[in-house]
Amino acid sequence: MPFNRHRRLRQNEAIRKMIREHHIHTEDLIYPIFVVAGEGVKEEVPSMPGVFHFSIDQLQEEIQEVMDLGITSIIVFGVPAEKDECGSGADHEQGIVQSAIRHIKASFPQLYVISDTCLCQFTSHGHCGVIENREVANDASLERLVSTAISQAQAGADMIAPSNMMDGFVAAIRQGLDEAGFTDTPILSYAVKYASSFYGPFRDAAHSTPQFGDRRTYQMDPANAREALREAYSDVEEGADLLMVKPGLAYLDIIHRIRETFHLPIVAYQVSGEYAMIKAAAQNGWIEEKQVVLESMTSFKRAGADMILTYYAKDIARWQLN
């Protein structure tokens, strides 16, 4: 009885590489950097081995390494020295993110710098918007987010990445950027951001754990898939240039749905919890770190992601160079 011999195309590494459908390129990677107030600071985040807080004066060596590895884009997260109810540091001309962007662009003008646009790191309550009667007020939050986006663009950000999940945030930021003269500044929308349990280490890194309640009134229910399409449709209509799905690995089906529905570039965020789990298992000798990371990256690409935001970006670049 005749049968197909699929193994003909798996006999050795040469043929396997020839027919490989998806590849990870260094240019596909976005590397996150956490910038903190102070001087002489380079401190490892306890829950994220290999990820550090940097004060601005310590960024030079880190950015130079990023450039030498061939990574062409970073995203900047800022952790201010002081916080208040309205997150006034988020849009301050001398804010931590704005100062870091100016410093980076002055020394590395060719590096593509994306700014995270949210309030959670800057508010004393840890929520992504303005609080009224112990609730996150959507429209009042939009005003603060627009002001933050404009200030980041003025500082030299090449792209704005709003991660707040307020209704109408893309439309508001697009209008604000256009009116401020930044019509060519693209928006990477955190279009599909779930209220995930995988964010714990990030909140450790960004000092942004909510002081009351949670974020389920604005981030998405992990059980919902059709809602992801509604969210993405809104952001596309409002002017988003790229769409992000966050987290990544537990939501490969969502990445695929977004890819099949829209023609904009898609970004997958391999979040802090995913990174920390792989690190912990690798440090215990339970898995082969490099192979698991590269397999995870391939899964993002196979699902339909064009780019991947990952704390492993430098490691992946090193592995490819070697």
Side-chain angles (χ1 to χ4, degrees):
M1 183 176 179
F3 56 88
N4 293 317
R5 295 192 178 272
H6 301 290
R7 292 178 59 189
R8 289 173 183 153
L9 301 182
R10 303 174 192 154
Q11 293 182 69
N12 53 55
E13 184 65 11
I15 186 64
R16 289 193 293 270
K17 285 184 176 179
M18 287 171 62
I19 67 166
R20 189 160 292 156
E21 298 175 25
H22 299 283
H23 299 82
I24 307 301
H25 302 289
T26 306
E27 294 83 1
D28 300 334
L29 307 175
I30 302 170
Y31 183 57
I33 290 182
F34 293 97
V35 185
V36 298
E39 295 181 355
V41 179
K42 181 182 178 181
E43 297 176 346
E44 191 171 42
V45 178
S47 56
M48 300 176 71
V51 175
F52 292 84
H53 287 132
F54 294 96
S55 55
I56 291 175
D57 64 310
Q58 296 296 306
L59 283 175
Q60 194 79 11
E61 183 178 348
E62 177 73 358
I63 300 298
Q64 186 63 63
E65 182 182 20
V66 167
M67 297 290 293
D68 292 344
L69 288 169
I71 297 169
T72 58
S73 61
I74 64 169
I75 184 167
V76 176
F77 296 96
V79 184
E82 298 179 357
K83 305 186 180 194
D84 57 30
E85 283 291 309
C86 64
S88 59
D91 59 350
H92 195 284
E93 183 181 356
Q94 300 302 321
I96 187 67
V97 171
Q98 291 79 359
S99 298
I101 292 170
R102 282 194 295 270
H103 178 85
I104 293 168
K105 294 300 287 187
S107 299
F108 304 94
Q110 69 274 41
L111 182 67
Y112 199 86
V113 178
I114 305 168
S115 61
D116 176 72
T117 306
C118 197
L119 302 180
C120 61
Q121 296 102 295
F122 300 91
T123 55
S124 54
H125 45 74
H127 279 286
C128 301
V130 175
I131 299 298
E132 295 178 358
N133 300 318
R134 292 184 68 81
E135 297 288 341
V136 178
N138 192 91
D139 294 5
S141 300
L142 293 181
E143 295 180 17
R144 297 287 299 120
L145 292 164
V146 170
S147 179
T148 299
I150 293 171
S151 72
Q152 291 171 344
Q154 289 171 335
D158 296 295
M159 179 182 289
I160 301 298
S163 57
N164 53 88
M165 287 297 284
M166 296 297 111
D167 291 338
F169 70 96
V170 173
I173 290 173
R174 182 72 274 158
Q175 180 179 350
L177 289 173
D178 289 352
E179 291 177 353
F182 296 102
T183 56
D184 292 331
T185 301
I187 295 175
L188 163 56
S189 169
Y190 285 62
V192 183
K193 183 178 180 180
Y194 284 90
S196 172
S197 299
F198 286 93
Y199 300 151
F202 176 90
R203 291 172 183 171
D204 182 20
H207 302 168
S208 61
T209 302
Q211 298 303 299
F212 64 89
D214 55 39
R215 294 174 177 156
R216 294 181 183 275
T217 63
Y218 45 101
Q219 295 178 0
M220 285 178 51
D221 187 332
N224 294 351
R226 294 189 299 271
E227 184 181 4
L229 295 179
R230 297 200 298 273
E231 287 281 359
Y233 268 121
S234 293
D235 288 4
V236 171
E237 291 174 350
E238 292 172 18
D241 299 283
L242 306 90
L243 302 173
M244 183 186 289
V245 176
K246 178 185 181 185
L249 199 58
Y251 297 87
L252 294 176
D253 61 315
I254 304 301
I255 296 172
H256 184 67
R257 287 193 186 208
I258 299 297
R259 172 74 291 151
E260 292 294 294
T261 307
F262 304 99
H263 298 293
L264 293 180
I266 307 298
V267 180
Y269 194 153
Q270 186 192 42
V271 298
S272 59
E274 299 171 58
Y275 173 88
M277 288 192 299
I278 295 174
K279 274 290 182 185
Q283 290 178 347
N284 278 284
W286 297 335
I287 60 172
E288 169 51 51
E289 184 176 24
K290 174 181 176 180
Q291 299 305 324
V292 170
V293 170
L294 294 180
E295 186 174 338
S296 298
M297 295 298 114
T298 302
S299 74
F300 295 136
K301 297 287 282 190
R302 192 179 63 246
D306 299 290
M307 289 161 281
I308 304 161
L309 201 164
T310 174
Y311 304 96
Y312 269 113
K314 290 199 302 181
D315 294 300
I316 295 166
R318 289 192 197 99
W319 294 331
Q320 292 188 340
L321 288 172
N322 296 327

